[in-house]
Amino acid sequence: AQAAISIENAILKKKEENSVYEYQVGGCLTPESPTYVIRKADSELYHYLKSGEFCYVLNARHMGKSSLRVQITKRLQAEGFACAAIDLTAIGSQNITIEQWYAGLIYSLVNYFNLAKKSSDKFNFRQWWRNLDFLSPVQRFDEFISQVLLKEVSQKIVIFIDEIDTTLSLNFSMDDFFALIRAFYNHRGNNPEYKRLSFVLLGVASPSNLIQDKNLTPFNLGKAIILEGFQLHDTEPLAKGLTPKYSDSQTILKAILTWTNGQPFLTQKICYLISRSQNPILEGKEIEFVDKIVKNKIIENWDSQDNPEHLTTIRNRLLKSQLNVNRLLEMYRQILIKGDILADNSPEQIELLLTGLIYKQQDKLKIYNYIYREIFNLDWVEKLINL
C-alpha cells in the first residue's frame, strides 16, 4: 500500500511545481491544490471503483471526505469514467417533499451527464417526470437509472453522493432510497449493464444510521473506506510550503503531528499559521516554536480563534446529539481518565466517533489528539455533567 501511495504522490508533483503555494484551512481542496495529502484511502477508493465496487466514506467532519472525492473524480474521468458528484445540501432537507427531493436528485444527474443534449430524442426531464407521475418517487429514480442513464451513457459510471447525513433530517423515510441502491448492485446478477454503475456515499453517519427500519436489512453493502489522519511519511506536500522559509520542515511537521495526530483540518491550519508567522525559528527550537503557536493560536481563548469553525462544530455535535448527552459526556470522561475504553459499536460510541473527538485504534477508543484533550478537558466535561 505504501508503494502505491508513493506512486500517487508523484502524480501531484508537476502540479505542485506550477502552483501558487497556499495552505487551505477548511473547505474542499481543488484538484490542483498543492497541499492535498494522499493517504491510504486514496489508493483504496480508486482501486475499488476501478473494480466496480460500491463504497462508502463515513466519518466525522473535517476529515477530507469531499477533497478525496474531488481527487478521485479527476483520476477516474482521466481514464474515461463518467462521474457525477451530488451534494445533498444543494437539494435541501427542510420544507421539502419526497417528490421534490427525488426530482432534485435526478435533475442534478441529468445536468451532470448532460443528458438533455446527449440523448438521441432530446431528453426532456420535466416531461419525463410528469409522464411517470403514476409511479412513486423511488420507482421513478429506478426507472431513470435503468431506462435513461444506463442507455444514454456508455462509459463506466460513478455517482458520488456527498453529505449523505442530510437524509437523516428529512421528514420522510429514506429507507427505500438506500434499499434501491443495494438493489442496483444486486441487479448485476441479471443485467450486466449494472456492472458499469457504482455509487459512493460520503458523510457524517454510520451504515447502521442509513436504514432506520429495523425490519429491513441494514445497509451493509460495499467497501468501507477509512480516512485516517496524516502520517509523517505522507506529508511531503505540506513540507513544501514550509521549506522555503524554514530549513528543518520535517521536525516542524513532526511536532505539528504530535499535537494533531494528523487530523487534516488542524494540521493544515497549524501549517498555515506557521507559514504566516513573522517570527524566525531558531535552529533546534522548532518544537518549542510549534508548541507556542498551538497554545497561543489554537488552544487559548479557542472559541474566539476558531475560524473557520472546527472545535465549535465538535462541541455542538456532542452537546446537541439526539442521544442522551450526559451518557455521551460520561463515556468521554471515562476515556479522558483511563486513556482508552474497549470499543463495542454501541450507538453512543458511534455518535462519539462521529463528533471527531475520539478515534478507534484496533479495539480501543482514544482521544483523537492532544489539542482536543487540552480544550475538551476533564474540567470542561465535569462542569457539563454537573449542570
Side-chain angles (χ1 to χ4, degrees):
Q2 187 55 43
I5 292 172
S6 298
I7 293 170
E8 288 166 357
N9 270 318
I11 295 173
L12 296 178
K13 263 193 173 180
K14 288 190 179 292
K15 291 191 300 183
E16 291 170 358
E17 290 168 0
N18 297 322
S19 299
V20 176
Y21 209 96
E22 182 71 50
Y23 294 103
Q24 180 173 324
V25 183
C28 181
L29 299 181
T30 66
E32 293 76 25
S33 174
T35 68
Y36 183 77
V37 175
I38 292 176
R39 292 174 273 179
K40 182 181 177 184
D42 290 73
S43 301
E44 291 182 341
L45 183 56
Y46 171 72
H47 291 295
Y48 281 139
L49 292 176
K50 285 267 290 183
S51 301
E53 294 285 354
F54 283 31
C55 299
Y56 54 91
V57 189
L58 304 176
N59 209 316
R61 296 213 175 276
H62 301 153
M63 283 298 292
K65 295 181 290 297
S66 296
S67 298
L68 172 67
R69 166 182 58 75
V70 167
Q71 294 291 332
I72 299 303
T73 296
K74 183 173 183 181
R75 291 186 66 184
L76 292 174
Q77 287 176 329
E79 297 186 26
F81 281 68
C83 298
I86 308 300
D87 184 336
L88 294 184
T89 58
I91 297 176
S93 60
Q94 302 297 318
N95 302 316
I96 186 172
T97 67
I98 189 169
E99 288 82 7
Q100 289 172 324
W101 192 90
Y102 276 99
L105 174 65
I106 297 171
Y107 183 69
S108 297
L109 291 172
V110 169
N111 288 334
Y112 255 103
F113 294 113
N114 204 19
L115 296 179
K117 295 182 179 178
K118 211 179 260 188
S119 174
S120 55
D121 58 354
K122 293 186 179 179
F123 179 75
N124 184 312
F125 168 71
R126 290 176 183 273
Q127 187 63 49
W128 177 88
W129 182 261
R130 285 195 294 267
N131 289 344
L132 295 178
D133 62 3
F134 62 95
L135 296 178
S136 69
V138 72
Q139 284 178 300
R140 277 181 265 188
F141 182 49
D142 187 11
E143 184 77 3
F144 171 78
I145 294 294
S146 64
Q147 299 302 314
V148 180
L149 186 61
L150 288 175
K151 289 188 175 179
E152 296 296 340
V153 179
S154 59
Q155 305 111 293
K156 289 183 178 180
I157 301 167
V158 177
I159 299 174
F160 294 85
I161 303 181
D162 208 346
E163 303 289 351
I164 198 70
D165 45 293
T166 63
T167 63
L168 303 177
S169 59
L170 292 167
N171 59 8
F172 46 86
S173 172
M174 290 301 294
D175 289 354
D176 287 342
F177 172 73
F178 294 110
L180 180 59
I181 289 180
R182 181 165 52 211
F184 290 148
Y185 186 87
N186 293 335
H187 288 341
R188 294 176 171 192
N190 301 319
N191 186 345
E193 283 294 288
Y194 281 90
K195 292 180 181 179
R196 294 193 292 111
L197 175 68
S198 294
F199 282 85
V200 183
L201 307 183
L202 308 99
V204 185
S206 70
S208 60
N209 291 150
L210 298 182
I211 291 184
Q212 299 183 356
D213 186 343
K214 303 309 176 187
N215 295 317
L216 296 176
T217 305
F219 189 84
N220 54 4
L221 173 71
K223 302 291 185 180
I225 306 299
I226 307 300
L227 271 180
E228 298 175 338
F230 298 159
Q231 304 296 312
L232 185 61
H233 54 68
D234 299 332
T235 55
E236 181 185 351
L238 299 179
K240 287 181 179 295
L242 300 173
T243 300
K245 192 172 181 181
Y246 307 112
S247 59
D248 194 352
S249 60
Q250 282 299 299
T251 298
I252 295 172
L253 272 171
K254 190 173 182 179
I256 293 171
L257 296 182
T258 298
W259 277 104
T260 68
N261 195 25
Q263 203 286 330
F265 179 97
L266 288 173
T267 303
Q268 290 266 7
K269 182 170 185 176
I270 297 170
C271 285
Y272 171 82
L273 292 170
I274 291 173
S275 71
R276 291 300 184 94
S277 174
Q278 299 302 312
N279 299 322
I281 301 180
L282 300 177
E283 187 175 348
K285 298 292 185 180
E286 291 85 2
I287 294 174
E288 291 90 335
F289 184 87
V290 173
D291 289 351
K292 187 175 180 180
I293 287 283
V294 171
K295 289 173 183 176
N296 292 345
K297 301 293 186 180
I298 303 289
I299 295 174
E300 292 179 7
N301 301 313
W302 68 266
D303 47 351
S304 64
Q305 301 193 95
D306 189 35
N307 184 32
E309 287 189 359
H310 171 69
L311 300 165
T312 304
T313 301
I314 292 173
R315 181 195 63 190
N316 291 348
R317 170 95 193 192
L318 175 60
L319 300 184
K320 295 180 181 179
S321 172
Q322 295 182 353
L323 299 182
N324 187 305
V325 173
N326 273 341
R327 192 175 298 170
L328 293 174
L329 289 170
E330 179 57 36
M331 182 180 294
Y332 177 65
R333 177 176 172 273
Q334 290 302 313
I335 301 173
L336 277 172
I337 293 171
K338 297 177 181 178
D340 59 57
I341 63 172
L342 192 65
D344 61 15
N345 292 321
S346 66
E348 290 79 12
Q349 287 194 358
I350 291 171
E351 179 66 11
L352 206 51
L353 283 164
L354 290 176
T355 66
L357 261 180
I358 66 171
Y359 75 115
K360 186 175 180 180
Q361 187 176 61
Q362 297 177 337
D363 61 346
K364 299 291 181 65
L365 300 182
K366 301 181 178 183
I367 308 299
Y368 199 105
N369 58 45
Y370 284 116
I371 291 175
Y372 299 161
R373 183 179 286 276
E374 285 288 316
I375 291 173
F376 304 110
N377 56 33
L378 202 55
D379 286 343
W380 177 84
V381 73
E382 288 182 343
K383 284 177 184 176
L384 289 169
I385 289 174
N386 293 326
L387 283 178

